[in-house]
């Protein structure tokens, strides 16, 4: 759940935060109208966030040393090769 929320905040939220105002500026449409039209992309973005989180989780399981907290803990424990 945390990974999905991170993907939504970092991937979708940031893109919408900057993208909707820029799109409104470029097209000359109001901010509300542009935001309303952007809702069409939300279902696909939600699916992509879930898929991205599952890829990240699989990568973390396959390469646990790639997670900084795990790497630091193993260094402290003296378990590095």
């Amino acid at each position: 759940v945390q990974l999905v929320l991170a993907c939504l905040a970092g991937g979708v939220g940031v893109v919408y935060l900057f993208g909707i105002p820029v799109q409104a500026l470029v097209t000359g449409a109001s901010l509300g109208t542009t935001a309303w039209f952007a809702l069409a992309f939300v279902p696909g973005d939600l699916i992509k966030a879930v898929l991205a989180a599952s890829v990240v989780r699989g990568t973390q399981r396959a390469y646990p040393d790639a997670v900084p907290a795990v790497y630091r803990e193993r260094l402290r424990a003296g378990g590095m090769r």
Side-chain angles (χ1 to χ4, degrees):
V1 172
Q2 289 177 338
L3 284 173
V4 172
L5 292 176
C7 289
L8 287 173
V12 178
V14 171
V15 169
Y16 284 174
L17 181 68
F18 291 100
I20 290 174
V22 169
Q23 183 70 26
L25 184 66
V26 169
T27 61
S30 71
L31 194 57
T33 301
T34 306
W36 180 256
F37 286 133
L39 289 176
F41 298 101
V42 171
D45 288 337
L46 292 174
I47 292 168
K48 287 187 279 186
V50 170
L51 289 174
S54 67
V55 168
V56 167
R57 187 63 184 131
T59 304
Q60 287 177 337
R61 287 183 178 153
Y63 302 101
D65 288 340
V67 180
V70 172
Y71 183 75
R72 283 192 303 269
E73 186 59 35
R74 287 188 181 177
L75 281 177
R76 277 190 219 112
M80 295 304 293
R81 293 171 246 152

